Amino acid sequence: MKKSNIAVATAVSGLLALAGTALTTTTAVAADAKEKCYGVAKAGKNDCATKTSSCAGTAKVDGQKDAFIMVPKGLCDRLNGGSGEAK
């Protein structure tokens, strides 16, 4: 009985380790496939500091030209008002 418990515990541990590795790899790949998109963030929804403030979530108006959000690569060019550079 004890041998079967050890075998099950070993199998479960292996599956958990494999799942953790897969999640880490997916997150790393997803982070590489993003870009900053200026001028499309809603008020209070920007991802990082602006020229006038030092905190995320402080954009004063929708579409503030110096506030950005992270979007998948290639999407910013398709968004109305989106730009890869702050204005």
Side-chain angles (χ1 to χ4, degrees):
M1 189 70 169
K2 287 186 180 187
K3 287 182 182 180
S4 64
N5 287 343
I6 292 173
V8 169
T10 302
V12 169
S13 296
L15 288 174
L16 290 174
L18 182 62
T21 302
L23 289 174
T24 302
T25 304
T26 303
T27 303
V29 170
D32 289 342
K34 299 248 182 197
E35 65 183 345
K36 292 179 181 180
C37 188
Y38 293 89
V40 295
K42 294 288 186 186
K45 300 294 182 181
N46 58 307
D47 285 339
C48 199
T50 67
K51 290 179 183 177
T52 57
S53 72
S54 61
C55 299
T58 57
K60 303 283 186 225
V61 295
D62 290 350
Q64 187 172 323
K65 298 298 182 191
D66 65 339
F68 71 86
I69 58 171
M70 298 300 288
V71 298
K73 281 193 178 187
L75 178 62
C76 188
D77 294 334
R78 299 186 333 215
L79 295 175
N80 186 27
S83 172
E85 297 177 6
K87 295 184 180 173

